Amino acid sequence: MSGPGSYDIGGILGEMREAYWAGVAEQEEAPGEVLEALLFTLGGLTCAFETRFAAEVLRLPKLIRLPAVSEPVVGIFNLRGEITAAMDVRFLLCFDAPPIDAKGRLVVVKGETFVTALLIEGALGVHTLPMDAFRPAPGAAEERFIRGRFDHEGEAVLLLDLPALLAAPEMLIGAQK
Amino acid sequence: MISRKYLDIFCREAHEQLALLQSGLLALEKRPGDRGMLHELLRHAHTLKGSARMVGLGDIAAITHRMEERLKEMEGGTHPVDAPGIDLLLKGADAVGLLTAALVKGEPPPLDADAFVADFDKGELPAPAPADPVPTIPDPADTVRARVSTLDILVNLVGELIINRKRFETKTDTLRDLLPELPAECRPRLKEFHRELEDDVLYLDYLIQELHGKAMGLRMLPLKSITDGFERLVRDLSRDQGKEVRLELVGGTIEMDRVLLEALKPAFIHLVTNAVCHGIESPEERSAGGKPSCGTVRIAAQHEGSSVLVCIRDDGRGMDPERIREAAVARGIINGADAERLSDDEALYLTLRPGFSTSETVTAVAGRGVGLDVVKQNVDRVKGNIILKSAVGSYSEILLQLPLTLSVVDALLVAAAGEIYAIPTSYVQEIVKLRVDEIESAAGKDTIRLNDAPMPICSLAGALGLPEAVPSPRHLSAVVLKLCDQRLAVTVERQLGNSEVVVKRLGAQFQGVRFVFGATIMGDGNPALILDVPDLFDGGAAAPALRRPELSLPAAKKVLVVDDSITTRTMEQSILSARGYDVTVSVCGEEALERALAGAFDLIISDIEMPGMNGFQLTRALRDREKTREIPVIVVSSLSRDQDKREALEAGAQAYIVKGSFDQGVLLETVEMLIG
C-alpha cells in the first residue's frame, strides 16, 4: 500500500510522536517554580518569608514596654488604632541579636488569630526566589522555624516557616499568668 | 431567659392586639349579633395567647386563654353576649395591658394573674386599679434592627474620634507654644488662627461627646435584662432549702453597657444564690428570732455619677466577723495574729479571698462551696469595687460599685519608669506628696502613715517589675489606691492629671497580661497602658523596697526672695522652705544685690515694683557682675503686660510669673526646672 495517492501511516505516526515529544521537551525547558518573598536581615543573616504573610513594613515607632512579660515581646505600638505587639524573634530562632539601628524596621505579619509585628534589622525588599535553588532544612531542633535555604545571587537566604513561628506558644503574650 | 429583643416585639404586638380587642368588644356590645366581630375577637385573643406563650409570659397567656374560652362560649351560645360578659372581657384586656406596660418599663407584674383568673372564672372582677398609660411602643416603622457587632464597631469608631480629637488638642497647644518663637509680624494672624482653631476643636469636642452618648446608648441595656430570671431562681432555691424568700428588684431599668452586664451576670447569680442559701434563715429560725417567716433578698440599683451602685441585701443572719476570722485562720488564709488585728469590718473582706468558703463559716448550711472570690474576680474584671456590710442576726449587704461602660473610663495619668500609665479613677483614693523620711521600713516592707493608719507603699515601677528611677531627694508623689478594704500607695515620677480615656482591648495575641487591663492612645499617637489595679495589689506585696536617695543629701539649694510686700515674701518663703530650699529674704533691690554679692545663692526670685531699685534694674545689676551673672532670676510680678515680660527677659530673667495666676505649683515647678 505504497502507491500514488496512498499515505505512509507509519511515517505520519512517527512524525506525530516526534512532535509530541518535542512539545514535552519544550515544556520541561519552561521556567521552574518560584517563590515571591520578602527578604530582610535578622541576626545578621538574610532571611525571607512568603509575601502573602506580610502586611506592611514600618519604621520603628515608639514601643511601650509591657510589664511582667519576657522575650520575645519588646513592646506595643499603635497600628492605626489597633494595639499591636512588636516581637523580637531572634532568640526563638537561636540567632545572634545585634543592636537594632536606624535601619531597623517592623514587619507587620498576619497570623491565623492575630496580627503582630516582627522586629528586623533591615528590610531588603521583595524578591522572586527560584524553587530549584531551594534546599529544605534537615529538621534540626534549633531550626524548627526554618523551612530551608535558597542560594540567591551567591548568598544563602533562610526561608522562615512563618505559620509555625506565629503558632509557637512563645508568641502568646502573658499566657503564663 | 427570653431576650429583650423578643419581649420588645411581643410588647409591640400586644399593644396592637389589645387596641383591636378593646375597640372590637365595644363594637360587639353595640351589635351583639355580629358573629364576624365575635370571630375576629376570638382570633385576636388566640394570637395574643400564642405569642405570650412563645416568649414565656405565663401570666398573660393564662388571662388571654380565659378570654378566648369566654369568647368561644359566646360564639357557641353557651354564654350570652351581654354587658357583664363584655365588661369581664374588657377587664381581661385591661389586665393584659397592665402586665405588658410593666414589662415595657421593666417593672414587676402589678397583679396576681392566678387570683385574677380565679375571679375572672367566677365573674367577680373588681374595678381594675388605675394604670399608668401604656408607654408608647416605638412604631416598627421607626426602628431598624442592627447587629450587636455593628454597634460595637460604631462605638469603637467613636472612640477613634475621641483619640483624634485629643491629637487635635495637642497640636493646637503646640501651635500656641510656638507662637512666641515666630517673627513678631506673623504673630497677630497666627494668634487669630489659633483662636479659631481652638473654637473648632471645642465644637468638635461637643459633637463627639453627643455622638458618643448616642452611640453608647445603643449598646445599653437595663439591669433587668439580666435579673429577669432571678425571681424564678429565688423561688426554686428557697423551695429546695425549705425557706420562704421574696425577691425585690428596685432600679431594674437603670441601663448599663451590654458587655458589662454580660460579664456581671454570673456574679449576680452567685450573690443571689448565696443570699438565699446562706443568708436567709429557715422560717422556724426567723420566727424564733422575732423576724417574719418570709425573708427578703433585695437588689437595688442607682446611679452615682458615672457609676452604678448595685446593692444586694438580705435580711438574714448576717456575717459573723468572729467566725470568719476563725475559718480564715483554719484554712491558712491568714495567720492568727493578723486576723486579730483586723477590725470587724475588715474581717468581712476575708470572705473575698480565694479558698474561703462561706458555707462553712457564715452559715451552718452546707453550700456549694462557691466563694465570694469568684464574685470579686468578676467585679475586678469590669473595674468595679465591692463594699461589704453586715450586722449579725440582722442583714448582709454587698454593694457593687460598677462603671456604666468599659469603652471609656476616667483615669489618672501618671508617669513611671519612663512610660505613661492610666489608672482608672474608681481605684484612686487620693494623691499625696511625701518626704522620704516619712517612709518607715520594717522587714523589707515600706509603709507610710496616712490618717494615722499604716499603709504599704511601693514604687509603681517596682510593682510592675520595671526599672525604678531614683526619687527626688526632697519629695515623692504617691497615688493612694483603694480596692475593697485595702489601700496601697504607689509612688510615681509625675502625675499628669485626669482624663477620659478610650479603652482599647489588647488583641488575641495577649493572653491576660498581668497588671494591664487595656491601653489607650494618647494625644501624640502613642499607646499608654491602662493598669489593672487588683493585680497591682497582688504585685505590691512582692515589689522591692523603694529606692532611696543617697543618705548624704546634697546641701539645700539657696534661694533669695526679694519683695517689698511682706505677704508675698512670707508666702514664697513658706512655700520654698516647705520644699526644702534654704530661703533668704530681702525687702528691696539694693539689699538683695548686696546679699547676692555676699552670699552664694542658687536662685533669685524678685518682684518688679519695689521702692528704689526695681526688679528690672536688680536683674540687670546681677547680670553685670561676675559673681552673680549666672544666677537664674525668676520675676514674680502683678504686671501682666507683654512688654513687662519682655523687659524682664531682656534684662536677663529666666522666667516670669504673673501674681494674678500665681499658684504654689507654678512657682515650685519653675524653681525645680531651674535649679532642681
Side-chain angles (χ1 to χ4, degrees), chain B residues 399-595:
Chain B
L399 187 67
L400 307 179
Q401 285 179 319
L402 305 166
L404 284 172
T405 175
L406 285 180
S407 62
V408 175
V409 296
D410 281 327
L412 172 69
L413 299 175
V414 296
E419 310 280 15
I420 293 174
Y421 297 97
I423 304 174
T425 48
S426 56
Y427 292 116
V428 176
Q429 178 174 295
E430 61 187 299
I431 299 160
V432 291
K433 295 272 183 194
L434 297 167
R435 291 192 315 276
V436 172
D437 58 13
E438 290 179 79
I439 299 169
E440 297 165 13
S441 288
K445 298 288 173 196
D446 293 320
T447 57
I448 53 169
R449 293 196 78 78
L450 204 64
N451 303 325
D452 276 339
M455 180 188 301
I457 186 170
C458 63
S459 83
L460 180 57
L464 296 176
L466 296 172
E468 188 186 343
V470 178
S472 149
R474 296 180 198 285
H475 63 276
L476 295 166
S477 193
V479 180
V480 178
L481 302 172
K482 58 178 177 182
L483 179 71
C484 300
D485 64 326
Q486 299 177 76
R487 299 291 180 269
L488 171 69
V490 290
T491 60
V492 296
E493 285 159 21
R494 274 172 302 143
Q495 60 104 352
L496 307 166
N498 284 28
S499 181
E500 186 184 58
V501 300
V502 175
V503 180
K504 293 260 172 198
R505 297 279 170 198
L506 304 179
Q509 192 180 8
F510 302 85
Q511 305 271 310
V513 179
R514 204 159 173 238
F515 303 120
V516 178
F517 155 56
T520 189
I521 310 289
M522 303 301 291
D524 62 1
N526 288 314
L529 297 174
I530 303 172
L531 294 178
D532 190 344
V533 173
D535 275 356
L536 272 180
F537 273 83
D538 296 339
L546 281 167
R547 285 184 70 185
R548 307 298 173 83
E550 296 302 319
L551 288 177
S552 53
L553 293 178
K557 295 278 173 76
K558 296 182 72 171
V559 180
L560 177 61
V561 170
V562 196
D563 204 302
D564 59 331
S565 154
I566 186 167
T567 307
T568 307
R569 223 165 44 226
T570 311
M571 194 167 81
E572 289 176 3
Q573 183 182 27
S574 151
I575 292 167
L576 294 167
S577 300
R579 196 50 75 88
Y581 293 104
D582 178 3
V583 184
T584 304
V585 292
S586 286
V587 296
C588 64
E590 291 82 356
E591 185 188 54
L593 185 60
E594 198 177 306
R595 287 195 168 157

Side-chain angles (χ1 to χ4, degrees), chain B residues 606-634:
Chain B
S606 174
D607 186 16
I608 292 179
E609 291 178 311
M610 294 181 288
M613 183 185 273
N614 67 24
F616 300 137
Q617 292 164 329
L618 171 63
T619 307
R620 285 192 202 99
L622 289 166
R623 293 291 166 261
D624 286 345
R625 287 158 175 81
E626 179 69 31
K627 186 174 180 188
T628 57
R629 186 166 292 151
E630 301 299 324
I631 302 175
V633 174
I634 299 175

Side-chain angles (χ1 to χ4, degrees), chain A residues 62-69 76-78 80-81 83-85 87 113-116 171-175 177, chain B residues 160 417-419 464 466-467 504-506 508-516 519 521 525-527 529 532 535:
Chain A
K62 177 173 167 60
L63 297 176
I64 307 297
R65 285 172 296 172
L66 279 172
V69 294
I76 58 165
F77 65 101
N78 170 21
R80 287 185 296 280
I83 304 297
T84 309
M87 314 292 285
T113 55
F114 57 80
V115 172
T116 192
M171 294 296 280
L172 292 178
I173 304 162
K177 185 185 178 182
Chain B
E160 289 298 310
E419 310 280 15
L464 296 176
L466 296 172
K504 293 260 172 198
R505 297 279 170 198
L506 304 179
Q509 192 180 8
F510 302 85
Q511 305 271 310
V513 179
R514 204 159 173 238
F515 303 120
V516 178
I521 310 289
N526 288 314
L529 297 174
D532 190 344
D535 275 356

